[in-house]
Amino acid sequence: MSRLIIPLLLLFGIAFSYPQNSIKTSEIYVCPPCGLKCDNDEHDNPGICSFCNMKLMKKEDLKTIAFYLQDRVEVLDFAGPMEVLSYAGFNVFTVSATKEPIKSQGILSVIPDYTIENAPEADILAFFGGNASPTSKNPEVMKWIKKQENVAYHFSVCTGAFILAEAGILDGKTATTFHSSLDNLKNNYPKINVRKNVRFVDNGKVITTAGISAGIDGALHLVAKLHGLNAAKRIAYNMEYDNWQLGDGLILSSDNPYENRISTADLIAFEGLYEYKDGNQITLKINKKDGDLYTVIDELVYPLYHEEDDIFSNIGDDQIFFKRNDENKIVGYSLENDEKVYKKL
């Protein structure tokens, strides 16, 4: 790796293992669940876990989500959202009607963490497609769903919507499901406003998605609602998931995470060639597809995410502060905890 690439990678957040110098707060920070001994550690300040190198998160932001799985459930229906939500630091566990191993699509064996008899409470309940009909007609499962009084959000992918429908959770709401099952959902549950040609529907506390990859979109949308749009963007980047079109769903809730995005017209002022350490230079450009600034380093694209005003962050969530002159033009930037201003050339 050349001398030029090393400082640039530090600027754009590739070195995740370096600790952050942070102002002490009264918040409690924890490591996102990773299955290691650091899961139980608590910290007074934000930063990086010294054991697993994951970024610490506020304890109050740690959400528990129960993935209900049934035999022959679609692999990607649950595995895609599981990838997204685990990246986001959610505490994910699996539940089924019994402790018997599940065969996902007749291929993948999954042993549920819990049954409906002993599953702990969760902030979010999620249901998935693939042989969902027997589950929706199982009175014991319906009873379990209905008695979960402290659930903040319900989430479904594909025909998992039928499980929510049978439990009455979609009554009076708008919903979607797998494209070949839309008419079935509409005809069998007339209290639901079934929508076609949408990737997901957000009713506020209930999110339903279309099939398979749309579940990833819906999970990213849920992260954007709970942790902010930039957190979801970082996850999509790390997953190399470029199918996500921001806001490509029916959003009926007031907490729309895409409403206050900086416009492409406003980003133009930040484009250009800038100084960097040791006499090196970097170029910032606009990615018109997703509306973020980016730079190309060693043929790889690294994004910058707008936070507020003239403050951006990199993929490592380190802040970058752009500077303006008296004529309101961008003249340079400084890095977090660094007073030096690197000029725009």
Side-chain angles (χ1 to χ4, degrees), residues 53-101:
N53 289 331
M54 293 182 72
K55 183 180 177 182
L56 302 177
M57 61 186 298
K58 291 180 181 179
K59 188 174 182 179
E60 65 183 33
D61 290 339
L62 181 61
K63 303 295 184 183
T64 299
I65 179 167
F67 275 40
Y68 183 91
L69 304 181
Q70 66 277 356
D71 201 43
R72 289 165 46 204
V73 63
E74 290 280 338
V75 172
L76 195 55
D77 270 11
F78 75 88
M82 185 176 285
E83 181 88 357
V84 171
L85 298 169
S86 62
Y87 261 127
F90 287 64
N91 183 11
V92 182
F93 62 85
T94 56
V95 185
S96 193
T98 71
K99 195 67 174 176
E100 292 298 315

mmCIF file of all heavy atoms in Angstrom, residues 53-101:
data_model
loop_
_atom_site.group_PDB
_atom_site.id
_atom_site.type_symbol
_atom_site.label_atom_id
_atom_site.label_comp_id
_atom_site.label_asym_id
_atom_site.label_seq_id
_atom_site.Cartn_x
_atom_site.Cartn_y
_atom_site.Cartn_z
ATOM 1 N N ASN A 53 -13.178 -4.718 18.564
ATOM 2 C CA ASN A 53 -13.002 -3.618 17.608
ATOM 3 C C ASN A 53 -14.305 -3.105 16.993
ATOM 4 O O ASN A 53 -14.274 -2.384 15.995
ATOM 5 C CB ASN A 53 -12.023 -3.991 16.483
ATOM 6 C CG ASN A 53 -10.585 -4.075 16.970
ATOM 7 O OD1 ASN A 53 -10.214 -3.387 17.908
ATOM 8 N ND2 ASN A 53 -9.803 -4.919 16.339
ATOM 9 N N MET A 54 -15.448 -3.465 17.562
ATOM 10 C CA MET A 54 -16.709 -2.920 17.082
ATOM 11 C C MET A 54 -16.949 -1.559 17.732
ATOM 12 O O MET A 54 -16.499 -1.288 18.858
ATOM 13 C CB MET A 54 -17.869 -3.864 17.395
ATOM 14 C CG MET A 54 -17.805 -5.170 16.631
ATOM 15 S SD MET A 54 -19.223 -6.250 16.974
ATOM 16 C CE MET A 54 -20.519 -5.361 16.114
ATOM 17 N N LYS A 55 -17.659 -0.687 17.010
ATOM 18 C CA LYS A 55 -17.967 0.626 17.555
ATOM 19 C C LYS A 55 -19.025 0.490 18.654
ATOM 20 O O LYS A 55 -20.037 -0.192 18.484
ATOM 21 C CB LYS A 55 -18.487 1.554 16.463
ATOM 22 C CG LYS A 55 -18.754 2.963 16.970
ATOM 23 C CD LYS A 55 -19.263 3.865 15.865
ATOM 24 C CE LYS A 55 -19.591 5.243 16.436
ATOM 25 N NZ LYS A 55 -20.130 6.134 15.396
ATOM 26 N N LEU A 56 -18.775 1.138 19.796
ATOM 27 C CA LEU A 56 -19.728 1.102 20.903
ATOM 28 C C LEU A 56 -20.975 1.891 20.552
ATOM 29 O O LEU A 56 -20.933 2.850 19.768
ATOM 30 C CB LEU A 56 -19.085 1.677 22.170
ATOM 31 C CG LEU A 56 -17.810 0.989 22.665
ATOM 32 C CD1 LEU A 56 -17.266 1.721 23.891
ATOM 33 C CD2 LEU A 56 -18.061 -0.470 22.987
ATOM 34 N N MET A 57 -22.103 1.497 21.125
ATOM 35 C CA MET A 57 -23.365 2.180 20.885
ATOM 36 C C MET A 57 -24.041 2.466 22.219
ATOM 37 O O MET A 57 -23.733 1.839 23.240
ATOM 38 C CB MET A 57 -24.286 1.324 20.010
ATOM 39 C CG MET A 57 -24.677 -0.018 20.609
ATOM 40 S SD MET A 57 -25.608 -1.070 19.469
ATOM 41 C CE MET A 57 -27.061 -0.057 19.190
ATOM 42 N N LYS A 58 -24.967 3.445 22.201
ATOM 43 C CA LYS A 58 -25.698 3.755 23.420
ATOM 44 C C LYS A 58 -26.539 2.553 23.832
ATOM 45 O O LYS A 58 -27.205 1.939 22.997
ATOM 46 C CB LYS A 58 -26.602 4.968 23.206
ATOM 47 C CG LYS A 58 -25.870 6.276 23.015
ATOM 48 C CD LYS A 58 -26.849 7.422 22.815
ATOM 49 C CE LYS A 58 -26.128 8.739 22.596
ATOM 50 N NZ LYS A 58 -27.083 9.852 22.383
ATOM 51 N N LYS A 59 -26.515 2.247 25.120
ATOM 52 C CA LYS A 59 -27.252 1.084 25.615
ATOM 53 C C LYS A 59 -28.742 1.230 25.325
ATOM 54 O O LYS A 59 -29.425 0.246 25.011
ATOM 55 C CB LYS A 59 -27.017 0.916 27.115
ATOM 56 C CG LYS A 59 -27.596 -0.368 27.682
ATOM 57 C CD LYS A 59 -27.213 -0.549 29.146
ATOM 58 C CE LYS A 59 -27.739 -1.860 29.704
ATOM 59 N NZ LYS A 59 -27.344 -2.050 31.128
ATOM 60 N N GLU A 60 -29.249 2.464 25.396
ATOM 61 C CA GLU A 60 -30.675 2.692 25.164
ATOM 62 C C GLU A 60 -31.071 2.436 23.711
ATOM 63 O O GLU A 60 -32.249 2.239 23.409
ATOM 64 C CB GLU A 60 -31.053 4.121 25.546
ATOM 65 C CG GLU A 60 -30.396 5.192 24.697
ATOM 66 C CD GLU A 60 -30.723 6.595 25.150
ATOM 67 O OE1 GLU A 60 -30.907 6.821 26.361
ATOM 68 O OE2 GLU A 60 -30.788 7.483 24.275
ATOM 69 N N ASP A 61 -30.085 2.443 22.792
ATOM 70 C CA ASP A 61 -30.366 2.194 21.378
ATOM 71 C C ASP A 61 -30.323 0.714 21.021
ATOM 72 O O ASP A 61 -30.633 0.340 19.891
ATOM 73 C CB ASP A 61 -29.370 2.955 20.496
ATOM 74 C CG ASP A 61 -29.580 4.458 20.536
ATOM 75 O OD1 ASP A 61 -30.691 4.889 20.893
ATOM 76 O OD2 ASP A 61 -28.622 5.194 20.214
ATOM 77 N N LEU A 62 -29.908 -0.130 21.960
ATOM 78 C CA LEU A 62 -29.809 -1.566 21.686
ATOM 79 C C LEU A 62 -31.206 -2.186 21.687
ATOM 80 O O LEU A 62 -31.861 -2.277 22.723
ATOM 81 C CB LEU A 62 -28.934 -2.233 22.746
ATOM 82 C CG LEU A 62 -28.704 -3.743 22.600
ATOM 83 C CD1 LEU A 62 -27.999 -4.043 21.286
ATOM 84 C CD2 LEU A 62 -27.891 -4.272 23.770
ATOM 85 N N LYS A 63 -31.680 -2.585 20.521
ATOM 86 C CA LYS A 63 -33.010 -3.166 20.374
ATOM 87 C C LYS A 63 -32.931 -4.687 20.279
ATOM 88 O O LYS A 63 -32.006 -5.237 19.683
ATOM 89 C CB LYS A 63 -33.698 -2.614 19.116
ATOM 90 C CG LYS A 63 -33.831 -1.103 19.068
ATOM 91 C CD LYS A 63 -34.742 -0.585 20.166
ATOM 92 C CE LYS A 63 -34.935 0.931 20.038
ATOM 93 N NZ LYS A 63 -35.749 1.479 21.136
ATOM 94 N N THR A 64 -33.911 -5.345 20.880
ATOM 95 C CA THR A 64 -34.009 -6.800 20.795
ATOM 96 C C THR A 64 -35.084 -7.167 19.781
ATOM 97 O O THR A 64 -36.198 -6.644 19.837
ATOM 98 C CB THR A 64 -34.370 -7.398 22.166
ATOM 99 O OG1 THR A 64 -33.343 -7.058 23.100
ATOM 100 C CG2 THR A 64 -34.477 -8.907 22.084
ATOM 101 N N ILE A 65 -34.742 -8.041 18.857
ATOM 102 C CA ILE A 65 -35.694 -8.411 17.807
ATOM 103 C C ILE A 65 -35.803 -9.936 17.717
ATOM 104 O O ILE A 65 -34.807 -10.650 17.649
ATOM 105 C CB ILE A 65 -35.293 -7.806 16.440
ATOM 106 C CG1 ILE A 65 -36.274 -8.226 15.338
ATOM 107 C CG2 ILE A 65 -33.869 -8.149 16.063
ATOM 108 C CD1 ILE A 65 -36.123 -7.424 14.067
ATOM 109 N N ALA A 66 -37.041 -10.416 17.743
ATOM 110 C CA ALA A 66 -37.319 -11.850 17.647
ATOM 111 C C ALA A 66 -37.673 -12.206 16.212
ATOM 112 O O ALA A 66 -38.617 -11.650 15.644
ATOM 113 C CB ALA A 66 -38.461 -12.226 18.585
ATOM 114 N N PHE A 67 -36.915 -13.106 15.619
ATOM 115 C CA PHE A 67 -37.196 -13.632 14.282
ATOM 116 C C PHE A 67 -37.978 -14.934 14.453
ATOM 117 O O PHE A 67 -37.408 -15.943 14.877
ATOM 118 C CB PHE A 67 -35.896 -13.929 13.531
ATOM 119 C CG PHE A 67 -35.291 -12.755 12.816
ATOM 120 C CD1 PHE A 67 -35.291 -11.495 13.390
ATOM 121 C CD2 PHE A 67 -34.711 -12.911 11.566
ATOM 122 C CE1 PHE A 67 -34.723 -10.411 12.737
ATOM 123 C CE2 PHE A 67 -34.139 -11.838 10.901
ATOM 124 C CZ PHE A 67 -34.142 -10.587 11.483
ATOM 125 N N TYR A 68 -39.279 -14.887 14.146
ATOM 126 C CA TYR A 68 -40.047 -16.126 14.179
ATOM 127 C C TYR A 68 -39.782 -16.879 12.871
ATOM 128 O O TYR A 68 -39.996 -16.357 11.767
ATOM 129 C CB TYR A 68 -41.550 -15.869 14.337
ATOM 130 C CG TYR A 68 -42.309 -17.174 14.451
ATOM 131 C CD1 TYR A 68 -42.561 -17.755 15.689
ATOM 132 C CD2 TYR A 68 -42.715 -17.864 13.301
ATOM 133 C CE1 TYR A 68 -43.198 -18.983 15.788
ATOM 134 C CE2 TYR A 68 -43.354 -19.089 13.389
ATOM 135 C CZ TYR A 68 -43.596 -19.643 14.635
ATOM 136 O OH TYR A 68 -44.219 -20.868 14.725
ATOM 137 N N LEU A 69 -39.344 -18.143 12.987
ATOM 138 C CA LEU A 69 -39.039 -18.968 11.819
ATOM 139 C C LEU A 69 -39.885 -20.224 11.836
ATOM 140 O O LEU A 69 -40.099 -20.826 12.891
ATOM 141 C CB LEU A 69 -37.551 -19.356 11.812
ATOM 142 C CG LEU A 69 -36.523 -18.216 11.868
ATOM 143 C CD1 LEU A 69 -35.110 -18.790 11.829
ATOM 144 C CD2 LEU A 69 -36.733 -17.226 10.740
ATOM 145 N N GLN A 70 -40.357 -20.624 10.668
ATOM 146 C CA GLN A 70 -41.132 -21.845 10.526
ATOM 147 C C GLN A 70 -40.433 -22.775 9.540
ATOM 148 O O GLN A 70 -39.567 -22.343 8.778
ATOM 149 C CB GLN A 70 -42.559 -21.546 10.035
ATOM 150 C CG GLN A 70 -42.653 -20.993 8.625
ATOM 151 C CD GLN A 70 -42.429 -19.492 8.552
ATOM 152 O OE1 GLN A 70 -42.274 -18.838 9.571
ATOM 153 N NE2 GLN A 70 -42.441 -18.947 7.332
ATOM 154 N N ASP A 71 -40.792 -24.035 9.555
ATOM 155 C CA ASP A 71 -40.186 -24.992 8.636
ATOM 156 C C ASP A 71 -40.407 -24.544 7.199
ATOM 157 O O ASP A 71 -41.482 -24.063 6.839
ATOM 158 C CB ASP A 71 -40.790 -26.391 8.859
ATOM 159 C CG ASP A 71 -39.890 -27.480 8.330
ATOM 160 O OD1 ASP A 71 -38.660 -27.390 8.548
ATOM 161 O OD2 ASP A 71 -40.398 -28.424 7.703
ATOM 162 N N ARG A 72 -39.357 -24.651 6.377
ATOM 163 C CA ARG A 72 -39.345 -24.273 4.959
ATOM 164 C C ARG A 72 -39.382 -22.761 4.755
ATOM 165 O O ARG A 72 -39.703 -22.278 3.669
ATOM 166 C CB ARG A 72 -40.482 -24.954 4.201
ATOM 167 C CG ARG A 72 -40.262 -26.461 4.037
ATOM 168 C CD ARG A 72 -41.500 -27.211 3.622
ATOM 169 N NE ARG A 72 -42.229 -26.560 2.534
ATOM 170 C CZ ARG A 72 -43.531 -26.743 2.301
ATOM 171 N NH1 ARG A 72 -44.239 -27.532 3.104
ATOM 172 N NH2 ARG A 72 -44.127 -26.123 1.304
ATOM 173 N N VAL A 73 -39.031 -21.989 5.771
ATOM 174 C CA VAL A 73 -38.929 -20.547 5.607
ATOM 175 C C VAL A 73 -37.869 -20.242 4.548
ATOM 176 O O VAL A 73 -36.876 -20.952 4.406
ATOM 177 C CB VAL A 73 -38.563 -19.873 6.964
ATOM 178 C CG1 VAL A 73 -37.200 -20.319 7.465
ATOM 179 C CG2 VAL A 73 -38.611 -18.353 6.856
ATOM 180 N N GLU A 74 -38.075 -19.180 3.766
ATOM 181 C CA GLU A 74 -37.120 -18.774 2.737
ATOM 182 C C GLU A 74 -35.826 -18.285 3.389
ATOM 183 O O GLU A 74 -35.843 -17.466 4.310
ATOM 184 C CB GLU A 74 -37.705 -17.643 1.877
ATOM 185 C CG GLU A 74 -38.835 -18.066 0.958
ATOM 186 C CD GLU A 74 -38.316 -18.727 -0.306
ATOM 187 O OE1 GLU A 74 -37.135 -18.494 -0.668
ATOM 188 O OE2 GLU A 74 -39.093 -19.468 -0.944
ATOM 189 N N VAL A 75 -34.687 -18.763 2.893
ATOM 190 C CA VAL A 75 -33.396 -18.414 3.486
ATOM 191 C C VAL A 75 -33.159 -16.917 3.469
ATOM 192 O O VAL A 75 -32.891 -16.294 4.506
ATOM 193 C CB VAL A 75 -32.241 -19.138 2.755
ATOM 194 C CG1 VAL A 75 -30.896 -18.612 3.256
ATOM 195 C CG2 VAL A 75 -32.322 -20.633 2.966
ATOM 196 N N LEU A 76 -33.238 -16.302 2.291
ATOM 197 C CA LEU A 76 -32.889 -14.883 2.186
ATOM 198 C C LEU A 76 -33.947 -13.994 2.826
ATOM 199 O O LEU A 76 -33.637 -12.867 3.218
ATOM 200 C CB LEU A 76 -32.673 -14.487 0.726
ATOM 201 C CG LEU A 76 -31.974 -13.146 0.491
ATOM 202 C CD1 LEU A 76 -30.643 -13.090 1.212
ATOM 203 C CD2 LEU A 76 -31.790 -12.885 -0.994
ATOM 204 N N ASP A 77 -35.173 -14.491 2.933
ATOM 205 C CA ASP A 77 -36.217 -13.696 3.591
ATOM 206 C C ASP A 77 -35.785 -13.290 4.994
ATOM 207 O O ASP A 77 -36.014 -12.159 5.427
ATOM 208 C CB ASP A 77 -37.529 -14.489 3.687
ATOM 209 C CG ASP A 77 -38.415 -14.281 2.477
ATOM 210 O OD1 ASP A 77 -37.938 -13.714 1.484
ATOM 211 O OD2 ASP A 77 -39.591 -14.690 2.535
ATOM 212 N N PHE A 78 -35.180 -14.236 5.726
ATOM 213 C CA PHE A 78 -34.756 -13.894 7.090
ATOM 214 C C PHE A 78 -33.267 -13.596 7.183
ATOM 215 O O PHE A 78 -32.832 -12.776 7.996
ATOM 216 C CB PHE A 78 -35.143 -15.002 8.083
ATOM 217 C CG PHE A 78 -34.297 -16.244 8.046
ATOM 218 C CD1 PHE A 78 -33.143 -16.335 8.813
ATOM 219 C CD2 PHE A 78 -34.659 -17.336 7.270
ATOM 220 C CE1 PHE A 78 -32.371 -17.490 8.800
ATOM 221 C CE2 PHE A 78 -33.900 -18.489 7.251
ATOM 222 C CZ PHE A 78 -32.736 -18.572 8.019
ATOM 223 N N ALA A 79 -32.442 -14.225 6.338
ATOM 224 C CA ALA A 79 -30.992 -14.038 6.436
ATOM 225 C C ALA A 79 -30.579 -12.636 5.997
ATOM 226 O O ALA A 79 -29.636 -12.064 6.571
ATOM 227 C CB ALA A 79 -30.272 -15.087 5.601
ATOM 228 N N GLY A 80 -31.258 -12.085 4.991
ATOM 229 C CA GLY A 80 -30.934 -10.728 4.544
ATOM 230 C C GLY A 80 -31.176 -9.692 5.634
ATOM 231 O O GLY A 80 -30.260 -8.948 6.015
ATOM 232 N N PRO A 81 -32.404 -9.609 6.176
ATOM 233 C CA PRO A 81 -32.651 -8.692 7.293
ATOM 234 C C PRO A 81 -31.800 -8.996 8.519
ATOM 235 O O PRO A 81 -31.393 -8.078 9.239
ATOM 236 C CB PRO A 81 -34.136 -8.909 7.594
ATOM 237 C CG PRO A 81 -34.718 -9.321 6.290
ATOM 238 C CD PRO A 81 -33.651 -10.186 5.656
ATOM 239 N N MET A 82 -31.497 -10.284 8.768
ATOM 240 C CA MET A 82 -30.646 -10.616 9.912
ATOM 241 C C MET A 82 -29.260 -10.007 9.751
ATOM 242 O O MET A 82 -28.668 -9.499 10.714
ATOM 243 C CB MET A 82 -30.550 -12.137 10.054
ATOM 244 C CG MET A 82 -29.772 -12.591 11.286
ATOM 245 S SD MET A 82 -29.767 -14.396 11.483
ATOM 246 C CE MET A 82 -31.436 -14.688 12.082
ATOM 247 N N GLU A 83 -28.733 -10.041 8.534
ATOM 248 C CA GLU A 83 -27.437 -9.423 8.263
ATOM 249 C C GLU A 83 -27.492 -7.925 8.543
ATOM 250 O O GLU A 83 -26.614 -7.365 9.204
ATOM 251 C CB GLU A 83 -27.052 -9.683 6.800
ATOM 252 C CG GLU A 83 -25.712 -9.119 6.394
ATOM 253 C CD GLU A 83 -24.570 -10.084 6.646
ATOM 254 O OE1 GLU A 83 -24.828 -11.164 7.194
ATOM 255 O OE2 GLU A 83 -23.426 -9.758 6.298
ATOM 256 N N VAL A 84 -28.522 -7.264 8.035
ATOM 257 C CA VAL A 84 -28.665 -5.817 8.227
ATOM 258 C C VAL A 84 -28.758 -5.463 9.712
ATOM 259 O O VAL A 84 -28.050 -4.592 10.219
ATOM 260 C CB VAL A 84 -29.912 -5.291 7.494
ATOM 261 C CG1 VAL A 84 -30.200 -3.832 7.877
ATOM 262 C CG2 VAL A 84 -29.742 -5.416 5.986
ATOM 263 N N LEU A 85 -29.653 -6.133 10.412
ATOM 264 C CA LEU A 85 -29.948 -5.769 11.792
ATOM 265 C C LEU A 85 -28.825 -6.158 12.749
ATOM 266 O O LEU A 85 -28.615 -5.489 13.766
ATOM 267 C CB LEU A 85 -31.273 -6.385 12.212
ATOM 268 C CG LEU A 85 -32.468 -5.878 11.388
ATOM 269 C CD1 LEU A 85 -33.711 -6.711 11.661
ATOM 270 C CD2 LEU A 85 -32.744 -4.413 11.661
ATOM 271 N N SER A 86 -28.079 -7.200 12.430
ATOM 272 C CA SER A 86 -26.929 -7.539 13.265
ATOM 273 C C SER A 86 -25.827 -6.509 13.077
ATOM 274 O O SER A 86 -25.154 -6.119 14.045
ATOM 275 C CB SER A 86 -26.423 -8.950 12.947
ATOM 276 O OG SER A 86 -25.980 -9.050 11.606
ATOM 277 N N TYR A 87 -25.622 -6.039 11.836
ATOM 278 C CA TYR A 87 -24.679 -4.952 11.586
ATOM 279 C C TYR A 87 -25.062 -3.719 12.408
ATOM 280 O O TYR A 87 -24.200 -2.991 12.894
ATOM 281 C CB TYR A 87 -24.692 -4.562 10.103
ATOM 282 C CG TYR A 87 -23.580 -5.144 9.266
ATOM 283 C CD1 TYR A 87 -23.861 -5.850 8.102
ATOM 284 C CD2 TYR A 87 -22.243 -4.947 9.605
ATOM 285 C CE1 TYR A 87 -22.855 -6.365 7.309
ATOM 286 C CE2 TYR A 87 -21.221 -5.461 8.816
ATOM 287 C CZ TYR A 87 -21.528 -6.168 7.664
ATOM 288 O OH TYR A 87 -20.526 -6.680 6.878
ATOM 289 N N ALA A 88 -26.373 -3.483 12.535
ATOM 290 C CA ALA A 88 -26.855 -2.289 13.235
ATOM 291 C C ALA A 88 -26.751 -2.408 14.743
ATOM 292 O O ALA A 88 -27.034 -1.442 15.456
ATOM 293 C CB ALA A 88 -28.302 -2.004 12.832
ATOM 294 N N GLY A 89 -26.377 -3.575 15.244
ATOM 295 C CA GLY A 89 -26.238 -3.756 16.681
ATOM 296 C C GLY A 89 -27.488 -4.241 17.373
ATOM 297 O O GLY A 89 -27.573 -4.208 18.603
ATOM 298 N N PHE A 90 -28.490 -4.711 16.624
ATOM 299 C CA PHE A 90 -29.683 -5.287 17.233
ATOM 300 C C PHE A 90 -29.330 -6.629 17.871
ATOM 301 O O PHE A 90 -28.483 -7.370 17.362
ATOM 302 C CB PHE A 90 -30.770 -5.520 16.187
ATOM 303 C CG PHE A 90 -31.452 -4.274 15.697
ATOM 304 C CD1 PHE A 90 -30.753 -3.297 15.000
ATOM 305 C CD2 PHE A 90 -32.800 -4.083 15.916
ATOM 306 C CE1 PHE A 90 -31.374 -2.158 14.532
ATOM 307 C CE2 PHE A 90 -33.442 -2.943 15.450
ATOM 308 C CZ PHE A 90 -32.730 -1.981 14.762
ATOM 309 N N ASN A 91 -29.979 -6.939 18.959
ATOM 310 C CA ASN A 91 -29.843 -8.250 19.585
ATOM 311 C C ASN A 91 -30.891 -9.168 18.966
ATOM 312 O O ASN A 91 -32.071 -9.105 19.307
ATOM 313 C CB ASN A 91 -30.037 -8.137 21.101
ATOM 314 C CG ASN A 91 -29.836 -9.466 21.805
ATOM 315 O OD1 ASN A 91 -29.363 -10.431 21.212
ATOM 316 N ND2 ASN A 91 -30.209 -9.519 23.065
ATOM 317 N N VAL A 92 -30.487 -10.008 18.019
ATOM 318 C CA VAL A 92 -31.401 -10.838 17.250
ATOM 319 C C VAL A 92 -31.419 -12.257 17.820
ATOM 320 O O VAL A 92 -30.365 -12.850 18.057
ATOM 321 C CB VAL A 92 -30.984 -10.890 15.766
ATOM 322 C CG1 VAL A 92 -31.988 -11.716 14.966
ATOM 323 C CG2 VAL A 92 -30.843 -9.493 15.181
ATOM 324 N N PHE A 93 -32.626 -12.800 18.027
ATOM 325 C CA PHE A 93 -32.734 -14.213 18.389
ATOM 326 C C PHE A 93 -33.874 -14.846 17.597
ATOM 327 O O PHE A 93 -34.753 -14.159 17.083
ATOM 328 C CB PHE A 93 -32.928 -14.411 19.897
ATOM 329 C CG PHE A 93 -34.180 -13.805 20.479
ATOM 330 C CD1 PHE A 93 -35.386 -14.491 20.448
ATOM 331 C CD2 PHE A 93 -34.143 -12.555 21.088
ATOM 332 C CE1 PHE A 93 -36.543 -13.952 20.995
ATOM 333 C CE2 PHE A 93 -35.293 -11.998 21.643
ATOM 334 C CZ PHE A 93 -36.496 -12.705 21.602
ATOM 335 N N THR A 94 -33.843 -16.169 17.474
ATOM 336 C CA THR A 94 -34.842 -16.889 16.692
ATOM 337 C C THR A 94 -35.823 -17.614 17.599
ATOM 338 O O THR A 94 -35.475 -18.085 18.682
ATOM 339 C CB THR A 94 -34.175 -17.896 15.743
ATOM 340 O OG1 THR A 94 -33.351 -18.790 16.493
ATOM 341 C CG2 THR A 94 -33.321 -17.173 14.715
ATOM 342 N N VAL A 95 -37.059 -17.693 17.134
ATOM 343 C CA VAL A 95 -38.149 -18.328 17.863
ATOM 344 C C VAL A 95 -38.920 -19.209 16.890
ATOM 345 O O VAL A 95 -39.053 -18.880 15.707
ATOM 346 C CB VAL A 95 -39.121 -17.284 18.466
ATOM 347 C CG1 VAL A 95 -40.184 -17.967 19.322
ATOM 348 C CG2 VAL A 95 -38.375 -16.240 19.271
ATOM 349 N N SER A 96 -39.442 -20.325 17.386
ATOM 350 C CA SER A 96 -40.328 -21.145 16.574
ATOM 351 C C SER A 96 -41.366 -21.797 17.485
ATOM 352 O O SER A 96 -41.318 -21.664 18.705
ATOM 353 C CB SER A 96 -39.549 -22.207 15.802
ATOM 354 O OG SER A 96 -40.378 -22.796 14.801
ATOM 355 N N ALA A 97 -42.297 -22.496 16.879
ATOM 356 C CA ALA A 97 -43.372 -23.120 17.667
ATOM 357 C C ALA A 97 -42.811 -24.199 18.585
ATOM 358 O O ALA A 97 -43.295 -24.391 19.702
ATOM 359 C CB ALA A 97 -44.424 -23.706 16.732
ATOM 360 N N THR A 98 -41.781 -24.896 18.120
ATOM 361 C CA THR A 98 -41.138 -25.942 18.927
ATOM 362 C C THR A 98 -39.630 -25.779 18.807
ATOM 363 O O THR A 98 -39.132 -24.936 18.062
ATOM 364 C CB THR A 98 -41.532 -27.345 18.445
ATOM 365 O OG1 THR A 98 -40.909 -27.599 17.182
ATOM 366 C CG2 THR A 98 -43.044 -27.477 18.310
ATOM 367 N N LYS A 99 -38.909 -26.620 19.520
ATOM 368 C CA LYS A 99 -37.445 -26.585 19.474
ATOM 369 C C LYS A 99 -36.883 -27.472 18.371
ATOM 370 O O LYS A 99 -35.676 -27.587 18.189
ATOM 371 C CB LYS A 99 -36.898 -27.036 20.839
ATOM 372 C CG LYS A 99 -35.442 -26.726 21.088
ATOM 373 C CD LYS A 99 -35.142 -25.244 21.205
ATOM 374 C CE LYS A 99 -33.690 -25.010 21.591
ATOM 375 N NZ LYS A 99 -33.312 -23.608 21.624
ATOM 376 N N GLU A 100 -37.766 -28.100 17.583
ATOM 377 C CA GLU A 100 -37.324 -28.985 16.514
ATOM 378 C C GLU A 100 -36.537 -28.203 15.465
ATOM 379 O O GLU A 100 -36.881 -27.058 15.154
ATOM 380 C CB GLU A 100 -38.515 -29.668 15.848
ATOM 381 C CG GLU A 100 -39.233 -30.658 16.742
ATOM 382 C CD GLU A 100 -38.330 -31.801 17.172
ATOM 383 O OE1 GLU A 100 -37.612 -32.346 16.309
ATOM 384 O OE2 GLU A 100 -38.325 -32.131 18.368
ATOM 385 N N PRO A 101 -35.468 -28.783 14.900
ATOM 386 C CA PRO A 101 -34.707 -28.091 13.851
ATOM 387 C C PRO A 101 -35.602 -27.720 12.664
ATOM 388 O O PRO A 101 -36.513 -28.470 12.293
ATOM 389 C CB PRO A 101 -33.650 -29.118 13.442
ATOM 390 C CG PRO A 101 -33.510 -30.008 14.626
ATOM 391 C CD PRO A 101 -34.890 -30.085 15.236
#
